[in-house]
Every structure is written in C-alpha cells, then in structure tokens.
Amino acid sequence: MSETFFTPRETVSELDRYIIGQNQAKRAVSIALRNRWRRQRVSPELKDEIAPKNILMIGPTGVGKTEIARRLAKLAQAPFLKVEASKFTEVGYVGRDVESMIRDITDIAIKLVTDEEKTSVRVKAEDLAEERMLDLLLPAPSANPENQEVESSSDTRQKLRKLLREGKLDGRFIDIEVTSKNSPIQIFSPSGMDEMDVNISDMIGNLFPKKTKKRKVKVPEAMEALTQEEAHKLIDMDNVVTLAIDRVEQSGIIFIDEIDKIAGRESSAGPDVSREGVQRDLLPIIEGCTVNTKHGMVKTDHILFVGAGAFHVSKPSDLIPELQGRFPIRVELEPLTTDDFVNILTKPKNALIKQYVELLNTENIELVFTDDSIQEIAETAQHVNESTENIGARRLHTIMEKMLDDISFEAPDMTEEKIVIDAKYVKDKIADIVKNRDLSRYIL
C-alpha cells in the first residue's frame, strides 16, 4: 500500500472529523504533509537537499497535540511513533538513549509492511491453509492403494471441503502444530543496550531448532493460525525490511512529547546538565544522521519530527539554540472553551457521547443525552479545569465516567430499555463534587 497524499485543504478537512478547533496547528501539519509529496517530485539532485520543516506545538495538555500528529500519520499511512522526551537520558547515564526511537519506529514500519504484504497474499494463503486443514481432517490413504480407494478418498475430500467452506465443521476441535516463539535462553541487559540484547538473543535463538507444540482448537481458529503461517511463508522478509526502512526514511513521523521538560532553566548543575545532554543527543538525529538498527542502517534526514510541550515553566527559547533551529514551524494551540467541549462531545466521528451510547447499546440500553445535559457536562468540565488543573478535553472523560458510574455498573441487570440523561441528572450526580474544590481535585 503506497503512501496517500492529500491537498492541505483535504488534510484539514479529514482532521476536522476527529479534532475540534486548533486550525492553525492543522494548517501547519497539512502543509508539512504536502511538502513531502512535493519533495518526491523535484529533481533527484535537489530532493536530498530539501529537509522536512519540523513543527513545535506549544499548548496545555488535552488540547489535541498528540491526536493531530497521530491522525496525520494515519492519513499518510506512515510509520508513527510517540515518545516522551523526559524518558530519555544522556549517553553515559542509565536509561533509554535517544537512538532507541529510530529502532522503535523501524520495528513499527516492519510490522506495518508485513501486515500489508500478508493482506496481499491472503487469498493464496487461505487456499494453502485449506489444503492443510483437509489433510488434518482426512488422513492420506494407505500406501499402494487400489484406484477405487483413491477415488473414494478424493470424493470424501471434496465433500469435506464443501462442509468446511459452508461453516458446518466450525464446532469441531482439531489438533494443529504451531511454531513456538519462546527462546530457550533469555538475555537481560542494562537499559540503553537494548540493541545488543536483541542481536545476542537472535544469534543464540538461531543455534536451537525451532520448537513446535500441539494445540487443540476449533476449526475456524485452526484455519486462521494456518493461514497466518502460510502467509508468512509467502512473504519475502528481506524485501519487507527494505520497504520498511525506506518508509521510515521517507515518510516516518516521530512525535516528541514533553519536550519542554528537557529545556534548561539557567542552571549549570544538577539534573539540568542531563536535560541539556539529552537535547544534544537529540540534535544529530533531528538534523539527520544514520542510526544502526538490527535491520540495517536507517537515515533520519527526512523523518518529520513534531515536538510538543506545555511550556508552562520553560520557554521554547530555553532549548539549546541548535535544537530551536531544527523546529522552524512554531504553532500555539488554543485552550479549549465550553463551546469546544460541546463540539468534542457530539461532533467528531469518535465523539465521546457516541462512544458511551454504543457501549451501553451492547447491553440493550438506549442512552439518550438531551442538549441541556451536554451543555451542563461542558460547563462543568470548563469550571473544574479553571478551578483546579487544566487538563483540557481529558476532563470530559473523568466527568462522563463519574456521571455514568451507576448505569455502567447496573446495566446488565436493568429492565429499562431507554435512559434519558438531562441536565438535572448531570447535576445530581456530580454537583456536590464540583462544589467541593478539594473533592473535585481527587475525583474529577
């Protein structure tokens, strides 16, 4: 499956289906995505010279920074990795080194391409799996058989094939052999040496024969297991790795969250030294270098990096100058308003109200939210965010969970088929908690 390209207007329109507001940020990422398409079409000499314009998103938590980057990667069918800058440590300290993000996104790309390849060979794999299944259901005829016995066996096989395809054998259990993935030896290595750990495990694992184990499963599960096994045999893994590395190098997106946490604060001792060290380790990867992974060398020159942080305590100018220069596009995300909360609850394709309605529909309960109840939930979220910590749209999740707690618990035993949630119901459930500021800090 090749990478999909949209015009900037189409990208913004797609993002609007899931994310409310933040038009400036949507415009910035849509242009960055389109620039990749443009870069692929310039002359080869210039193509390698055009660096991606990395983006720095500035804004409080819960306003859509991560969601914008995640949805962008989905639209582009690109390998996507979210990391937290605060989890990394400077080289020489115990912890994860920054190069591990390139190894991780390469693994993600390999899984992505493998799944695509498996889909493309699925029909052939299903045919091969069906033959194996029939061999298990119908043992081969004895040696030197009579012609009549062969014909009888062939007829039986065709009858079994018909029954199998019609699903009439789905209730039958069958013994199948599957390859065991357990390595006979486990390697434990210090953090930051995960690459060495993986390579040693691979080398030692290859010294031992692959183990198979028998499992008794129903026919549909056995068919799926055999199909996956046959699909894996049909795939050229060397080609998968080559395609995956190319996908990472040309269209990978790495979202570095909490980048403000590694910004120095005019200190020359203590943890700030390590923070600056992480920035200096990040610099060559974002500028463009080659990282060694167990699958081969991966160049980072054209990976799109999206940095994000609240920058409450520090400022983007507190980052080292070289790193600031690698994020030329700065986007400030707006805090969410009550109207935004109303829209988040109702408008997106994956709107919260829709999620809860569908969840309770599985218990044969029709949940109906009135307009005034949605307004009340939005106003409550805004009020709690203002009076305690502002966690943006995530506050809606805590309020919805608390408000529907009783219904969610009692749903399997309820006789009512329709429950109407109005403003009075919302107030009854959470008004006392909202009034008590200390209580709302703990519960909402």
Side-chain angles (χ1 to χ4, degrees):
M1 195 183 293
S2 59
E3 194 176 355
T4 304
F5 289 99
F6 294 89
T7 66
R9 200 179 298 281
E10 287 170 343
T11 301
V12 170
S13 177
E14 285 293 316
L15 292 173
D16 282 342
R17 294 169 66 192
Y18 296 95
I19 301 151
I20 298 298
Q22 313 303 358
N23 292 323
Q24 193 186 351
K26 288 174 185 171
R27 280 176 67 95
V29 297
S30 67
I31 292 167
L33 189 64
R34 188 64 176 180
N35 278 339
R36 291 189 150 181
W37 178 85
R38 291 165 180 155
R39 183 182 154 265
Q40 297 294 339
R41 281 152 180 77
V42 300
S43 62
E45 310 89 65
L46 198 57
K47 185 176 168 182
D48 289 338
E49 302 298 322
I50 299 172
K53 305 300 182 283
N54 298 320
I55 301 163
L56 186 63
M57 292 187 186
I58 303 156
T61 185
V63 296
K65 300 190 294 292
T66 309
E67 194 62 16
I68 287 171
R70 185 180 285 120
R71 292 288 169 190
L72 185 77
K74 239 178 192 176
L75 283 178
Q77 294 165 350
F80 173 77
L81 176 71
K82 177 185 183 254
V83 296
E84 291 175 3
S86 53
K87 294 286 191 291
F88 295 114
T89 57
E90 186 181 355
V91 171
Y93 288 78
V94 174
R96 294 212 83 190
D97 65 294
V98 294
E99 286 189 355
S100 65
M101 69 171 79
I102 305 302
R103 296 194 283 268
D104 290 345
I105 197 172
T106 305
D107 288 338
I108 288 166
I110 284 172
K111 185 182 182 309
L112 204 68
V113 176
T114 302
D115 289 346
E116 288 172 7
E117 292 290 308
K118 278 185 177 177
T119 303
S120 68
V121 299
R122 174 102 191 167
V123 174
K124 190 174 182 183
E126 282 174 349
D127 290 342
L128 293 167
E130 186 178 79
E131 295 304 323
R132 281 180 65 185
M133 176 61 73
L134 292 170
D135 290 341
L136 292 169
L137 290 166
L138 182 71
S142 56
N144 303 317
E146 298 286 331
N147 285 341
Q148 192 177 351
E149 192 180 336
V150 173
E151 285 171 17
S152 171
S153 174
S154 176
D155 289 344
T156 310
R157 193 179 181 89
Q158 291 310 315
K159 285 173 187 172
L160 271 175
R161 191 190 303 277
K162 188 169 181 288
L163 292 172
L164 184 65
R165 288 179 177 177
E166 289 173 355
K168 290 179 180 173
L169 302 177
D170 287 359
R172 187 185 290 191
F173 281 90
I174 193 164
D175 288 324
I176 61 165
E177 279 195 358
V178 290
T179 306
S180 175
K181 293 182 181 177
N182 295 335
S183 175
I185 294 176
Q186 284 186 301
I187 306 292
F188 296 95
S189 67
S191 296
M193 295 181 69
D194 44 357
E195 190 59 34
M196 186 182 291
D197 167 19
V198 169
N199 285 336
I200 292 172
S201 296
D202 286 350
M203 285 192 301
I204 291 176
N206 290 333
L207 297 176
F208 294 88
K210 285 187 177 179
K211 286 187 177 180
T212 58
K213 59 179 180 181
K214 277 199 171 185
R215 287 175 60 206
K216 188 180 279 292
V217 294
K218 283 192 174 180
V219 166
E221 192 181 335
M223 270 297 289
E224 184 57 34
L226 293 173
T227 302
Q228 290 295 328
E229 213 170 280
E230 291 299 326
H232 197 75
K233 289 178 191 173
L234 291 168
I235 293 170
D236 179 359
M237 282 310 292
D238 290 338
N239 186 46
V240 165
V241 169
T242 304
L243 287 171
I245 289 175
D246 183 65
R247 188 87 67 92
V248 169
E249 290 180 343
Q250 302 302 325
S251 62
I253 298 174
I254 295 181
F255 182 83
I256 306 174
D257 205 2
E258 296 187 352
I259 202 166
D260 55 322
K261 302 285 196 308
I262 59 166
R265 299 198 253 292
E266 297 184 7
S267 168
S268 57
D272 280 355
V273 175
S274 181
R275 284 195 194 104
E276 191 168 309
V278 173
Q279 290 184 61
R280 294 201 178 280
D281 289 346
L282 274 172
L283 192 60
I285 288 178
I286 296 175
E287 279 184 333
C289 67
T290 304
V291 175
N292 186 23
T293 74
K294 67 176 180 179
H295 305 291
M297 307 298 274
V298 178
K299 291 175 74 177
T300 69
D301 301 61
H302 299 289
I303 293 174
L304 178 68
F305 291 89
V306 180
F311 289 97
H312 287 316
V313 181
S314 56
K315 307 180 293 296
S317 58
D318 290 330
L319 294 165
I320 59 172
E322 301 94 319
L323 194 60
Q324 288 179 51
R326 299 309 298 178
F327 288 95
I329 301 171
R330 307 280 172 86
V331 183
E332 194 161 349
L333 283 87
E334 301 296 322
L336 299 170
T337 64
T338 304
D339 288 342
D340 288 332
F341 285 144
V342 170
N343 289 332
I344 288 166
L345 286 166
T346 56
K347 285 191 176 177
K349 201 174 177 183
N350 59 341
L352 263 183
I353 297 284
K354 292 177 190 171
Q355 291 179 30
Y356 281 98
V357 167
E358 289 300 319
L359 282 171
L360 285 164
N361 194 37
T362 61
E363 305 273 10
N364 297 318
I365 292 171
E366 185 188 352
L367 203 60
V368 178
F369 288 83
T370 62
D371 290 344
D372 61 346
S373 72
I374 293 168
Q375 187 67 32
E376 185 64 33
I377 294 165
E379 287 174 4
T380 303
Q382 185 70 7
H383 174 71
V384 177
N385 273 346
E386 286 172 355
S387 59
T388 58
E389 283 290 315
N390 186 351
I391 60 168
R394 293 190 180 98
R395 186 73 67 192
L396 293 170
H397 290 264
T398 56
I399 289 171
M400 291 285 287
E401 279 295 325
K402 186 63 190 169
M403 185 190 72
L404 296 172
D405 182 73
D406 290 340
I407 295 174
S408 294
F409 186 82
E410 301 288 348
D413 308 311
M414 281 184 173
T415 53
E416 298 103 310
E417 291 184 352
K418 184 176 181 179
I419 298 173
V420 178
I421 308 290
D422 56 16
K424 183 179 181 302
Y425 182 94
V426 177
K427 285 175 185 171
D428 289 346
K429 290 291 179 186
I430 55 178
D432 292 340
I433 300 168
V434 173
K435 281 176 193 168
N436 187 332
R437 190 171 171 183
D438 290 333
L439 199 58
S440 64
R441 279 181 185 278
Y442 287 99
I443 297 175
L444 298 178

